[in-house]
């Protein structure tokens, strides 16, 4: 599977370790940066990750920052993306099964490497259930015409 991964400076070490692990597991990994742990702005990397997935260059994405919150918001600005903030394998599996998530976000200050690997494994191995979830997921990419 082709996986894109991006982070900010706070998650640089986690990103590097996950990218190396994913490659050792046989995945093709697009490391979108940053290349060092120097301070950067997470929205820039979240937007880049979203663009790569929306264009079909990568099938799935992993977005990382200190808490996972900021970068997940940035990724979800793209209507083609469904990025779920996860902290354990059950939420990572459910975001695929029920929401057809094409990206996950995690916080490096909150999630250790072993838990991050477990989340990524659940995310990559769980299929979308479809069925009753299909029409709901379709609505996620549409802006509601009448919020009233």
């Amino acid at each position: 599977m082709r996986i894109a991964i991006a982070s900010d400076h706070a998650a640089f070490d986690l990103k590097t370790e996950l990218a190396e692990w994913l490659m050792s597991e046989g995945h093709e990994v697009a490391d979108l940066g940053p290349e060092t742990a120097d301070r950067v702005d997470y929205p820039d990397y979240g937007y880049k990750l979203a663009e790569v997935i929306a264009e079909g260059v990568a099938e799935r994405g992993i977005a990382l920052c200190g808490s996972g919150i900021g970068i997940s918001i940035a990724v979800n600005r793209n209507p083609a993306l469904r990025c779920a903030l996860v902290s354990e394998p059950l939420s990572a599996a459910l975001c695929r099964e029920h929401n057809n998530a094409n990206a996950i976000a995690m916080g490096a200050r909150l999630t250790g490497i072993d838990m991050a690997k477990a989340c990524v494994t659940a995310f990559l191995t769980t299929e979308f259930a479809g069925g009753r979830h299909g029409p709901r997921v379709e609505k996620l990419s549409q802006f509601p015409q009448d919020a009233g």
Side-chain angles (χ1 to χ4, degrees):
M1 185 177 297
R2 183 150 169 85
I3 301 160
I5 189 167
S7 73
D8 70 355
H9 56 281
F12 175 78
D13 291 338
L14 181 61
K15 175 189 66 86
T16 302
E17 204 164 338
L18 284 175
E20 290 172 1
W21 170 72
L22 285 164
M23 287 185 281
S24 76
E25 294 289 308
H27 297 286
E28 189 176 340
V29 177
D31 184 339
L32 304 178
E35 295 179 10
T36 69
D38 294 341
R39 188 188 122 6
V40 296
D41 296 330
Y42 60 80
D44 298 334
Y45 292 90
Y47 297 153
K48 187 186 293 190
L49 181 88
E51 184 177 336
V52 164
I53 296 167
E55 291 177 353
V57 175
E59 298 168 68
R60 305 256 179 95
I62 301 167
L64 307 163
C65 69
S67 68
I69 297 168
I71 201 162
S72 69
I73 293 169
V75 171
N76 281 318
R77 300 280 302 189
N78 186 315
L81 272 287
R82 292 171 305 282
C83 181
L85 177 60
V86 303
S87 59
E88 36 60 47
L90 180 59
S91 59
L94 289 173
C95 78
R96 284 286 308 138
E97 184 179 345
H98 292 184
N99 309 113
N100 202 16
N102 48 12
I104 57 170
M106 292 180 285
R109 294 180 178 137
L110 307 171
T111 308
I113 185 63
D114 291 334
M115 184 59 72
K117 287 178 180 179
C119 289
V120 170
T121 299
F123 173 65
L124 296 179
T125 59
T126 303
E127 296 296 324
F128 177 49
R132 71 181 192 276
H133 302 291
R136 296 171 184 155
V137 170
E138 287 177 25
K139 288 182 178 183
L140 293 175
S141 296
Q142 301 169 357
F143 188 78
Q145 298 302 313
D146 183 355

